[in-house]
Amino acid sequence: AQTVTQSQPEMSVQEAETVTLSCTYDTSESDYYLFWYKQPPSRQMILVIRQEAYKQQNATENRFSVNFQKAAKSFSLKISDSQLGDAAMYFCAYRFPNNAGNMLTFGGGTRLMVKP
Amino acid sequence: KAGVTQTPRYLIKTRGQQVTLSCSPISGHRSVSWYQQTPGQGLQFLFEYFSETQRNKGNFPGRFSGRQFSNSRSEMNVSTLELGDSALYLCASTPYGTGISPLHFGNGTRLTVT
């Protein structure tokens, strides 16, 4: 079974600084999708960034980028120029690419605090 | 375009009762998934429906069931509620059966069982 591990339950960062959240996963598949979701106190899960495993290039979305290391099964999220609005729970998630459906396996989450 | 809508937002039930939660996906989305979120177990997959058919089911007892209607709206039902069923229940939709298209989540229904 696939597992996703986020080893940092809590992280803090100074506003305008850079922070990296860690995620490792375990799978025997060669093709899959990885996601980072953000969950603010409003409870709604919001997509931050996504990565297709067959693409070697790391995904970027504005201030958010990933460091995808397929051999190491690592998928870390870097947030640059942190803003107060970035404070939230962040979840790493794994999904099969095939017709098995859209089921996501989530990590335990990292609570990010941003200090003004 | 309206997002994923879940009703009700909060629910308080007594142990032994049953409950039905509702989810309206984004227009045009055919896949609806349900997740349970608790402090102890984190986010766990309940089940997924695609074009009115259950495609996947997580490791939950038979008390948890769901269905999807022809307009893609979905309901999940929990019978014989237990204290441990207290959780945030999240619904998510996506247009297709598979692929990189991300899941879009609703705001969830907070269920408290007393």
Side-chain angles (χ1 to χ4, degrees), chain A residues 5-58:
Chain A
T5 302
Q6 293 179 247
S7 59
Q8 307 149 317
E10 277 192 2
M11 293 280 285
S12 66
V13 63
Q14 206 69 36
E15 196 176 6
E17 297 293 309
T18 295
V19 64
T20 299
L21 309 184
S22 301
C23 172
T24 58
Y25 56 93
D26 184 24
T27 183
S28 57
E29 302 292 328
S30 60
D31 195 15
Y32 45 86
Y33 300 122
L34 295 165
F35 302 84
W36 277 98
Y37 278 89
K38 166 185 176 182
Q39 187 180 38
S42 68
R43 307 182 332 200
Q44 185 176 25
M45 300 277 280
I46 301 165
L47 176 71
V48 174
I49 200 164
R50 52 187 157 171
Q51 174 82 41
E52 296 169 84
Y54 70 86
K55 288 187 176 179
Q56 293 187 339
Q57 187 173 6
N58 289 324

Side-chain angles (χ1 to χ4, degrees), chain A residues 33 35 37 39 42-45 47 50-52 91 95-104 106, chain B residues 9-10 31 35 37 43 45 48 55-56 88 94 96-103 105 107-108 110:
Chain A
Y33 300 122
F35 302 84
Y37 278 89
Q39 187 180 38
S42 68
R43 307 182 332 200
Q44 185 176 25
M45 300 277 280
L47 176 71
R50 52 187 157 171
Q51 174 82 41
E52 296 169 84
F91 293 95
R95 188 168 97 198
F96 276 114
N98 57 25
N99 287 332
N102 292 308
M103 182 181 80
L104 289 177
F106 285 93
Chain B
R9 204 149 151 84
Y10 299 92
S31 166
Y35 290 82
Q37 186 175 20
L43 280 152
F45 171 76
E48 180 199 0
R55 205 151 59 146
N56 286 300
L88 178 66
T94 192
Y96 311 114
T98 186
I100 189 65
S101 182
L103 271 61
F105 285 83
N107 284 327
R110 171 79 65 190

